[in-house]
Structure formats: C-alpha cells, structure tokens
Amino acid sequence: MSKIADNINPHVYEKNSEREVTSTELDEDMEDEFDEREIYDLIRNINDPEHPLTLEDLRVVEESNIVVNNKENTVDVTFTPTIPHCSMATLIGLSIRVQLLRALPSRFKVTVRVTEGSHASEHAVNKQLADKERVAAALENNNLVQIINQCVAG
Amino acid sequence: MAKLELMQSLNGHKGIVWNVSWHPLGKIFASCGEDKIIKLWSNECQEYTTKTVLVDGHQRTIREVAWSPCGNFLASASFDATTAIWDKKSGQFECNATLEGHENEVKSVAWSPSGQLLATCGRDKSVWVWEVAGEDEYECESVLNAHNQDVKKVVWHPTLDILASASYDNTVKMYKEDPADNDWTCIATLISHESTVWSLAFDKTGERLATCSDDRTVKIWKEYKPDNQEGVMVVDRDSVWKCVCTLSGFHTRCIYDIAWCHKTGLLATACGDDIIRIFKEAEDSDPNAPTFELICTKLDAHSQDVNCVKWNPTGNQELLSCSDNGEIKLWKFTE
C-alpha cells in the first residue's frame, strides 16, 4: 500500500519471551487443552498492515486480552488499535480471525473485538467482524485475501 | 415429551451450507452454499439422495435458493451479484434467466404467493421487486432504498403482495404497491431489535411476523389494521406492526434463521450455538401479549452454527437444517 500510514510513528514495545515448554506438554500421554498462551503465539507474529512490525511489537494483541474456554469451545480475542482513528482496525481484526479460523479446530467459536474504548468506531468494527456472512463474502475477495495472507505470513 | 429425532444426515456440499428450501409439494428440496453449486434432493426408498446438481450458474457463494409457488422454477441468490432462475422446460434443470442489477452480494430471494413477483436484496442496501414479464423474462418493477445498511432477508406475505425485509440496520421494513401510481413504497418500519435482523417468518394468517436477530432474541409482531378494536393508532390507512412478545434468554449466540410452520404453528430457530429450538404458543395465550413456550432444545444439532431451518410445507413435522460444516439434516418432530 502506498498511502501514508495512519499512525506514522507508532510506539514499539519490547517482545515477550518465548513460551517455555513444560514437561507435561512434552508428555504425549497428557492431553493439552488450548490455552491463552497458545492462541497468543498464533497471532502475535501477524504483521501490521502499515508497518514492518508485528501485532506484538505494537501491543495490538496481548496475552491478557485473550480468553479461551475449552468446555464451551470459545476463543475471545480483543485487540487494541494503535490510534483511535485507525482505518486499518477492521483489516487487523479480519487477519486475526482468519489466522484463528485456519489454525484452530472448527469446533471453536472465535470472537474478535476491539478493546473497549480503544477505537472511535468500536461498535461498527465489532459488528462487521462478528457478521460471519460479511466475513465469508470478504474472504472471496482475492485482493483482500492477498493482503490478509501477507499480514498473517508474519 | 417433545423431541426432534434425526431421520437423515446428508453430506454432499463442501464448506458452508447456507440454505435449504423445500419444494412446495414437500418431496424434494434444494440446498446451496459456499461451493457454488445447488443440489436437488429427492426422496427415494425412504431416503433423500441427490438427483441433480446445478453447476456453473454462479461465480461465488450461493446464499439462498427459493422455489416458485407452482414448483416449476427455482431462484438462486449469489454473492456474485446475480440471481439465477432455473427451470426444467427442456427436460432437465437449466438456468434460463439471470437477474442483474445489484451492485454486489445478493443475500436473499423470494417469490410472491402468486408467483408473479420476485424480490431480491443485498449488501448494496437495496431491495428489488421484479415482475415475471413473460417466458424467461423478468422486469424490474422497483428498487427500494429504505434500509441504510446491508439487507439480509426478503420474505413475502403468505397471501398478499406485501413484502418484508430484514437488515443489518436492526430494522424490518414492509412494502406494497401503491395502486394510484403503481409505485412500491415502504409502508412500515419495525424497530425494536438491538442488532442485525437475520431472518423473518409470517404466520399462516400473515397478521403476525416472527423475527430473529444477532441480539439473541426472537420477536413476535402483530398487525393492527385501521380502526382496530384495540385502539392502536393507525395513520395513513396503512397497518401498524407492534412487537407484542420478545423471547429473550433462550439463545446464547446469534440467531440466523426462524421458521413458522403454517400447519402446526410451531416456531423453529437456527442458532450460532449449534442448537435447534422449537417454540409453541401457549393455549391461553393473549393475542395482544402472546406467550410462547420453549418445548424442545436439540443440543449439538450440528457441530457448527445452524444457518437455516425449514418446516416441510405439507405439515408432516419434518424439519430441515443446515450448517457451516457442510451438513444438512432432516429431523422429525414429535410432541
């Protein structure tokens, strides 16, 4: 994209440490349930659409903003756009949704939302991201899928 | 004890199955989805099997299929911005007309009770009314821009040429033709839902309407005609529709579809929590404040979102449903 970024000089945060693999996780006989850290690892390296930085670098996604409920098969992610007028918010949310749709078993219901109070059009962005018909239609748009794939490639 | 018993599980689509539609005689149905094909299923030897597959009609997802009241035509609405009309005049099903005009995704298509009119709606916020003008000819009668967001569903009144539409703008609107100038106008706006209205269904009289929404409620609306006994104010001689009942607390996620059986009066809902629910009106129900009871909850009806529910039009208590995981299921309801 050749347009000037919405947020020209975003704050870049320090990366989190890599996940520590515990002995129970290495034990093939133990059943590992999905947890917040695992979801975080799936989305932290998604690229920002405007900057050569990841969603982790910009603190758009944080482990503490992820809730996994294995019993109810739900994954709820909230993300925080770098500025309240970010025009890329829907695209970022869509990239997170696509990555989780592809990576998680189909039994999971994934909800992706903007962190409360972090965006001027919070309600409109959330409604758009929650509408699976519009998401399905968006994912039939090759140009858009290409952009999302570039973001997700990490 | 009321129960929904699985008669048959039908696989044959790849990806999301968005919609299923019974033929008016209730022995054949059509299905459509993400894989851009339409399948026609018919009942042979107590089981439904695919007799016909309609391919190459659409370039993108097929969102809805609808049979004409005579059962000779099938209309399909697609994300490719077109609506195709299929018929069997040559002996096998062929697409003999394509309705173009919507700017982008067509979300729904419906035939009027006479079969002389068709309605389509879509992402471009508009509702189109088409007239059957002759063999394989369809003329646009009206483009209605009453909604200010994506229009999800169009449904005709069961006996009159009155059209209802449901939208992402949280409202339902009704339209009819003004005999003075043959122009279609919006005659009512139904406001009460707090999020997208995904679907709607008239009861057999057409004097009541059920709507379902992303706000996780079902609402029942009643028509109050001019000079009604209840004393509800009616201006301009057009009926007023009032929400007389809200079913809340029953659904845990978005409700994608609702079906109101014209024979039994039972209401079925398709929900994003994978559950099919059946509601029945209480016997002592007050017409101006009706009571509906949840009489059946089919947990894990599908392993993913339920997108559509349809009662068999013959009233034999068969129910069709379809889901995101490519499955179609046929159920038998017993009370």
Side-chain angles (χ1 to χ4, degrees):
Chain A
M1 266 171 281
S2 55
K3 84 182 238 318
I4 297 166
D6 277 356
N7 187 0
I8 298 163
N9 189 17
H11 188 83
V12 180
Y13 296 85
E14 211 175 300
K15 275 193 192 302
N16 286 292
S17 60
E18 289 304 308
R19 179 191 181 115
E20 270 184 60
V21 180
T22 63
S23 58
T24 47
E25 283 171 336
L26 290 170
D27 184 348
E28 290 295 328
D29 295 328
M30 296 285 287
E31 193 183 334
D32 294 327
E33 297 221 297
F34 282 91
D35 60 18
E36 283 75 12
R37 180 59 202 226
E38 208 164 345
I39 303 299
Y40 181 63
D41 284 346
L42 285 169
I43 59 176
R44 62 194 283 204
N45 291 319
I46 294 174
N47 285 318
D48 181 84
E50 295 181 324
H51 300 282
L53 294 162
T54 68
L55 298 187
E56 174 185 9
D57 293 329
L58 297 168
R59 234 178 245 184
V60 170
V61 294
E62 291 177 86
E63 194 179 335
S64 59
N65 287 340
I66 299 170
V67 180
V68 180
N69 185 331
N70 276 282
K71 229 179 97 202
E72 307 270 333
N73 291 321
T74 58
V75 172
D76 294 334
V77 176
T78 61
F79 67 100
T80 315
T82 54
I83 48 167
H85 290 279
C86 179
S87 63
M88 294 290 152
T90 312
L91 180 60
I92 293 170
L94 206 51
S95 301
I96 296 171
R97 234 192 118 142
V98 169
Q99 169 72 346
L100 294 178
L101 284 176
R102 288 175 181 166
L104 294 176
S106 60
R107 65 183 165 96
F108 278 105
K109 312 268 184 196
V110 176
T111 308
V112 177
R113 267 190 291 250
V114 169
T115 312
E116 211 180 321
S118 71
H119 198 273
S121 320
E122 179 181 326
H123 180 69
V125 171
N126 288 345
K127 192 168 181 180
Q128 171 87 14
L129 289 171
D131 186 319
K132 70 167 185 180
E133 185 184 55
R134 287 166 73 136
V135 170
L139 295 182
E140 287 183 355
N141 176 334
N142 288 334
N143 293 331
L144 186 59
V145 170
Q146 245 175 20
I147 295 169
I148 291 171
N149 283 343
Q150 280 163 14
C151 292
V152 170
Chain B
M1 177 78 187
K3 66 168 195 276
L4 206 54
E5 198 183 343
L6 181 65
M7 306 276 285
Q8 209 188 330
S9 212
L10 305 110
N11 293 291
H13 281 285
K14 278 200 194 83
I16 302 170
V17 186
W18 279 110
N19 192 254
V20 283
S21 177
W22 286 106
H23 184 273
L25 297 177
K27 291 198 173 93
I28 296 173
F29 68 86
S31 60
C32 66
E34 196 180 8
D35 58 7
K36 311 176 188 70
I37 60 169
I38 298 167
K39 289 200 159 211
L40 302 183
W41 306 79
S42 59
N43 192 340
E44 281 175 8
C45 310
Q46 310 296 312
E47 277 215 328
Y48 280 90
T49 50
T50 312
K51 281 280 293 266
T52 311
V53 183
L54 308 182
V55 296
D56 298 331
H58 292 290
Q59 312 301 314
R60 290 181 60 190
T61 284
I62 305 175
R63 179 65 181 86
E64 187 168 35
V65 276
W67 292 95
S68 62
C70 65
N72 293 332
F73 299 90
L74 182 72
S76 55
S78 168
F79 284 1
D80 71 8
T82 70
T83 305
I85 314 287
W86 308 74
D87 67 58
K88 222 176 147 175
K89 283 195 288 252
S90 67
Q92 54 188 358
F93 273 96
E94 277 177 5
C95 172
N96 284 320
T98 305
L99 313 185
E100 291 173 354
H102 281 287
E103 278 172 38
N104 39 41
E105 295 96 294
V106 184
K107 300 279 177 80
S108 178
V109 58
W111 298 84
S112 72
S114 66
Q116 288 306 300
L117 297 168
L118 262 172
T120 57
C121 67
R123 175 72 190 279
D124 63 6
K125 308 172 188 177
S126 68
V127 172
W128 292 50
V129 179
W130 309 78
E131 190 181 20
V132 182
E135 183 141 330
D136 302 332
E137 273 183 55
Y138 298 82
E139 270 172 19
C140 176
E141 281 264 289
S142 187
V143 177
L144 299 154
N145 289 304
H147 284 294
N148 56 37
Q149 285 290 345
D150 191 1
V151 189
K152 298 292 196 186
K153 195 73 136 191
V154 278
V155 171
W156 289 93
H157 185 283
T159 52
L160 306 170
D161 284 343
I162 291 175
L163 181 67
S165 63
S167 168
Y168 189 89
D169 70 10
N170 308 353
T171 71
V172 170
K173 288 182 185 276
M174 290 201 194
Y175 318 83
K176 76 170 185 196
E177 193 176 17
D178 185 342
D181 55 4
N182 293 336
D183 213 11
W184 286 76
T185 50
C186 177
I187 52 166
T189 300
L190 285 59
I191 301 170
S192 182
H193 279 297
E194 287 166 12
S195 188
T196 304
V197 188
W198 278 89
S199 190
L200 64 175
F202 282 99
D203 77 350
K204 67 174 174 204
T205 67
E207 290 168 0
R208 289 199 296 177
L209 184 74
T211 55
C212 63
S213 164
D214 179 48
D215 70 10
R216 303 174 185 187
T217 70
V218 167
K219 288 180 187 281
I220 310 291
W221 307 76
K222 183 173 162 24
E223 179 185 17
Y224 291 91
K225 293 176 180 162
D227 309 317
N228 60 80
Q229 292 185 339
E230 290 85 358
V232 174
M233 278 282 283
V234 174
V235 285
D236 293 343
R237 308 307 292 170
D238 282 319
S239 296
V240 164
W241 289 79
K242 280 184 64 173
C243 177
V244 290
C245 174
T246 300
L247 299 170
S248 59
F250 294 106
H251 300 84
T252 68
R253 298 185 82 88
C254 177
I255 313 164
Y256 290 109
D257 197 20
I258 186 157
W260 202 336
C261 182
H262 288 182
K263 294 287 195 308
T264 62
L266 294 169
L267 273 174
T269 58
C271 187
D273 60 13
D274 310 345
I275 300 172
I276 296 174
R277 295 172 177 83
I278 313 277
F279 296 86
K280 187 187 180 181
E281 188 166 8
E283 275 174 24
D284 56 353
S285 181
D286 173 355
N288 294 304
T291 323
F292 284 80
E293 286 160 356
L294 177 64
I295 57 165
C296 181
T297 304
K298 188 72 196 174
L299 297 170
D300 302 313
H302 287 277
S303 59
Q304 293 184 46
D305 294 4
V306 190
N307 290 325
C308 172
V309 278
K310 291 279 173 65
W311 291 107
N312 188 306
T314 63
N316 65 0
Q317 311 253 58
E318 281 177 3
L319 185 78
L320 274 174
S321 63
C322 61
S323 167
D324 275 2
N325 67 351
E327 256 176 4
I328 299 164
K329 283 182 175 177
L330 177 71
W331 309 86
K332 179 87 176 177
F333 179 74
T334 43
E335 231 180 288

